[in-house]
Amino acid sequence: MTIQIGDIAPDFTVATTDGTLSFHEWSDNSWVFFFSHPADFTPVCTTEMGKTASLSIDFECRNVKPLGLSTDTVEEHLKWIEDVNDTQNTTVEFPIVADEDLKISRLYEMIHDHESTTQAVRSVFIIDPEKRVRLTMTYPMNVGRNFSEVLRVIDALQLADEKQIATPADWQPGDKVIIPPSVSNAAAANLFPQGWDEIRPYLRETHV
Ligand code: BEZ
């Protein structure tokens, strides 16, 4: 069954580089950046692991816990982490799931048969503190993800929750935001006392 935006992220208990982890309990009150990669000791994956580690402060200040996954073993992950730290000049501190039996990859539909029947593609699930899936992205094996985009969508989701707004194309923190059509002008007057520009009745922009 496809996991859709708004679904509760399926729970699981699994071996990781930090010991056995029960997903819902581990995520606690944090957001989660849950991401899969095809295999340890491969070049694109090595750069992605290093990048995630180097952004640890950026994730932490957004209350986000990264969680990696591949179908390799804990032992392989731990050996590979040494390489990642060495080559990417960083320290991997977040857990990586060892999904040897493909149970979680299958549960989260990270195995795409035309890419591989034994290795995961590059899936991303952004999960909120209520355990709801808020965003999914899927990249093929040979294209590394854009981590600026990962942080940008987390910022957009968190701001949308806090301020009842939506974000326009290519939005960056500090840019104008959109008042959603579901918010009437009367409600908007309370929510956005600073006012807004009405480009069309359905397209209202403001700063928050
Ligand atoms: C890589 O991480 O470089 C990679 C892994 C699997 C297939 C293609 C690339």
Side-chain angles (χ1 to χ4, degrees), residues 178-181 183 185 196-205:
I178 286 172
I179 302 174
V183 176
N185 276 349
W196 60 86
D197 295 327
E198 185 170 302
I199 292 105
R200 289 286 185 278
Y202 63 84
L203 178 54
R204 295 164 296 172
E205 294 178 342

Side-chain angles (χ1 to χ4, degrees), residues 173-191:
D175 287 355
K176 282 186 287 191
V177 298
I178 286 172
I179 302 174
S182 56
V183 176
S184 67
N185 276 349
N190 283 325
L191 287 168

Side-chain angles (χ1 to χ4, degrees), residues 38 42-45 122 141:
T42 52
V44 177
C45 300
R122 299 183 195 281
M141 289 186 170

Side-chain angles (χ1 to χ4, degrees), residues 62-177:
R62 290 167 172 83
N63 187 30
V64 179
K65 290 180 175 178
L67 178 65
L69 175 148
S70 83
T71 55
D72 300 284
T73 64
V74 167
E75 291 68 31
E76 286 163 329
H77 285 339
L78 291 172
K79 200 88 198 89
W80 179 46
I81 284 171
E82 290 175 24
D83 262 12
V84 173
N85 290 342
D86 211 25
T87 61
Q88 308 303 302
N89 196 23
T90 190
T91 307
V92 172
E93 288 178 318
F94 58 89
I96 306 175
V97 169
D99 188 31
E100 285 176 73
D101 57 9
L102 316 190
K103 258 195 192 145
I104 298 155
S105 317
R106 292 232 163 88
L107 183 63
Y108 276 78
E109 295 195 328
M110 294 163 165
I111 305 283
H112 291 205
D113 289 342
H114 296 294
E115 287 279 275
S116 168
T117 54
T118 56
Q119 296 182 332
V121 294
R122 299 183 195 281
S123 300
V124 172
F125 292 86
I126 304 292
I127 297 160
D128 72 16
E130 276 72 52
K131 325 290 184 203
R132 291 210 179 266
V133 173
R134 300 294 299 276
L135 179 134
T136 65
M137 289 195 277
T138 310
Y139 278 59
M141 289 186 170
N142 59 354
V143 179
R145 283 160 280 215
N146 183 328
F147 283 76
S148 302
E149 174 61 3
V150 171
L151 294 177
R152 191 194 76 91
V153 294
I154 291 167
D155 285 337
L157 286 166
Q158 293 184 345
L159 190 66
D161 285 1
E162 189 191 333
K163 303 281 189 185
Q164 294 187 46
I165 53 85
T167 50
D170 293 336
W171 174 85
Q172 294 290 340
D175 287 355
K176 282 186 287 191
V177 298

